[in-house]
């Protein structure tokens, strides 16, 4: 298996290790690829704590987020722009204008996806890409069936993704139907990748991603094609893999 894999008994220890992994790669001019969702919240909390202790400055970095819902902007607390402000950017010294996320309010989402893709290749690719994984094996919002060579695009979210993300919206029907996401092509272009997964609901997707033949049916299996992937799992997310 080409991955460097670590399994943590204590999810807080996973958060700290993920924060240390990312902080060790921060240097002036670094381009960091970031994820949202429940999984990396603890990592962001640890990064903010490191910043407060004077151990980390993000002053010289640029960031690219993976994805945003079509129709939501930073003023909407359910947007990923709002998530990033709340969990990281407002607490650290990243320079204004140095963080990037697709604009969910662009009335032409296809045009926004093209703009974001151009920007990604102008300023990037990313030095590092942090990823979570969906129960259906998505990375970013690249749902099952996405070709591995696709760039940034507008995606029709899978029903199971809308179900998984329903809490913030009150019901799965209220979750936006579409999102803009970096493609697997962008993700694989990062120099290094950190994949994080917590909880039993991710165990099967993790097993297939790490142990089955790479296939667009399970988008995270594309990571097997990348030479430098680190995987941090909690005990529950690791329970289906053959090498715990
Ligand atoms: C988030 C993203 C998604 C999530 C995945 C897991 O920017 O791109 O792929 O990483 O849906 O979400 P959580 O961590 O909420 O289980």
């Amino acid at each position: 298996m080409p991955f460097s894999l670590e399994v943590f008994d204590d999810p807080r220890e996973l958060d700290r290790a993920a924060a240390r992994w990312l902080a060790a790669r921060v240097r002036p001019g670094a381009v960091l690829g970031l994820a949202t969702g429940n999984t990396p919240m603890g990592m962001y909390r640890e990064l903010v704590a490191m910043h407060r202790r004077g151990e980390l400055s993000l002053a010289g970095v640029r960031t690219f987020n993976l994805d945003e819902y079509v129709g939501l902007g930073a003023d909407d607390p359910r947007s990923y722009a709002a998530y990033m402000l709340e969990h990281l950017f407002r607490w650290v010294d990243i320079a204004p204008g140095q963080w990037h996320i697709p604009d969910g309010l662009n009335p032409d989402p296809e045009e926004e996806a093209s703009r974001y893709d151009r920007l990604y290749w102008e300023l990037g690719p990313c030095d590092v890409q942090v990823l979570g994984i969906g129960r259906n094996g998505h990375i970013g919002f690249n749902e099952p069936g996405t070709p591995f060579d696709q760039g940034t695009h507008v995606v029709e979210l899978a029903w199971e993704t809308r179900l998984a993300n329903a809490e913030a919206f009150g019901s799965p029907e209220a979750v936006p139907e579409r999102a803009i996401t970096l493609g697997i092509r962008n993700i694989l272009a990062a120099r290094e990748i950190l994949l994080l997964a917590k909880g039993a609901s991710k165990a099967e997707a993790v097993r297939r991603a790490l142990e089955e033949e790479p296939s667009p049916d399970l988008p995270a299996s594309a990571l097997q094609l990348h030479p430098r992937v680190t995987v941090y799992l909690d005990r529950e997310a690791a329970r289906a893999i053959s090498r715990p």
Side-chain angles (χ1 to χ4, degrees):
M1 192 160 64
F3 304 102
S4 148
L5 173 73
E6 219 170 312
V7 179
F8 296 85
D9 288 322
D10 176 359
R12 287 295 300 269
E13 203 35 62
L14 186 160
D15 298 338
R16 282 191 279 270
R20 282 196 301 270
W21 185 97
L22 193 60
R25 286 154 179 82
V26 167
R27 50 166 183 77
V31 185
L32 311 179
L34 301 177
T36 55
N38 290 319
T39 311
M41 278 182 190
M43 178 188 77
Y44 292 134
R45 194 175 51 238
E46 294 297 331
L47 288 170
V48 170
M50 290 171 86
H51 174 69
R52 290 205 171 125
R53 293 196 299 266
E55 297 165 10
L56 175 71
S57 170
L58 295 180
V61 308
R62 288 197 179 102
T63 67
F64 274 88
N65 263 84
L66 284 165
D67 38 24
E68 180 61 283
Y69 293 111
V70 169
L72 302 191
D75 288 346
D76 189 312
R78 302 165 305 181
S79 70
Y80 286 160
Y83 170 108
M84 288 309 301
L85 282 163
E86 185 52 37
H87 290 282
L88 185 66
F89 297 147
R90 64 182 283 212
W91 309 109
V92 295
D93 57 350
I94 188 164
Q98 296 305 298
W99 56 275
H100 303 284
I101 190 159
D103 179 4
L105 294 180
N106 187 326
D108 185 344
E110 303 285 349
E111 197 271 329
E112 176 60 17
S114 303
R115 181 197 71 82
Y116 198 66
D117 199 64
R118 280 194 304 276
L119 191 67
Y120 182 89
W121 295 112
E122 267 165 38
L123 304 179
C126 289
D127 294 300
V128 302
Q129 177 66 61
V130 178
L131 296 173
I133 182 170
R135 292 170 208 195
N136 64 359
H138 72 212
I139 45 175
F141 274 142
N142 293 283
E143 301 285 26
T146 308
F148 288 171
D149 60 356
Q150 191 164 12
T152 311
H153 60 284
V154 179
V155 60
E156 204 72 43
L157 293 175
W159 178 247
E160 51 207 322
T161 298
R162 294 173 70 205
L163 263 180
N165 293 3
E167 198 180 315
F169 293 87
S171 72
E173 290 82 5
V175 177
E177 289 173 20
R178 292 186 302 161
I180 298 166
T181 184
L182 286 181
I184 294 176
R185 177 160 182 260
N186 306 90
I187 292 171
L188 291 182
R191 288 190 183 84
E192 273 190 276
I193 293 176
L194 176 64
L195 174 68
L196 306 174
K198 292 179 180 177
S201 67
K202 304 294 177 66
E204 184 55 15
V206 166
R207 184 193 66 75
R208 292 182 62 197
L210 304 192
E211 298 185 356
E212 282 188 358
E213 277 297 302
S215 155
D217 293 345
L218 203 286
S221 65
L223 300 177
Q224 293 181 38
L225 307 176
H226 193 284
R228 297 184 74 186
V229 180
T230 299
V231 182
Y232 286 172
L233 306 174
D234 72 2
R235 193 55 70 191
E236 290 292 294
R239 73 183 191 189
I241 58 176
S242 56
R243 197 191 79 174

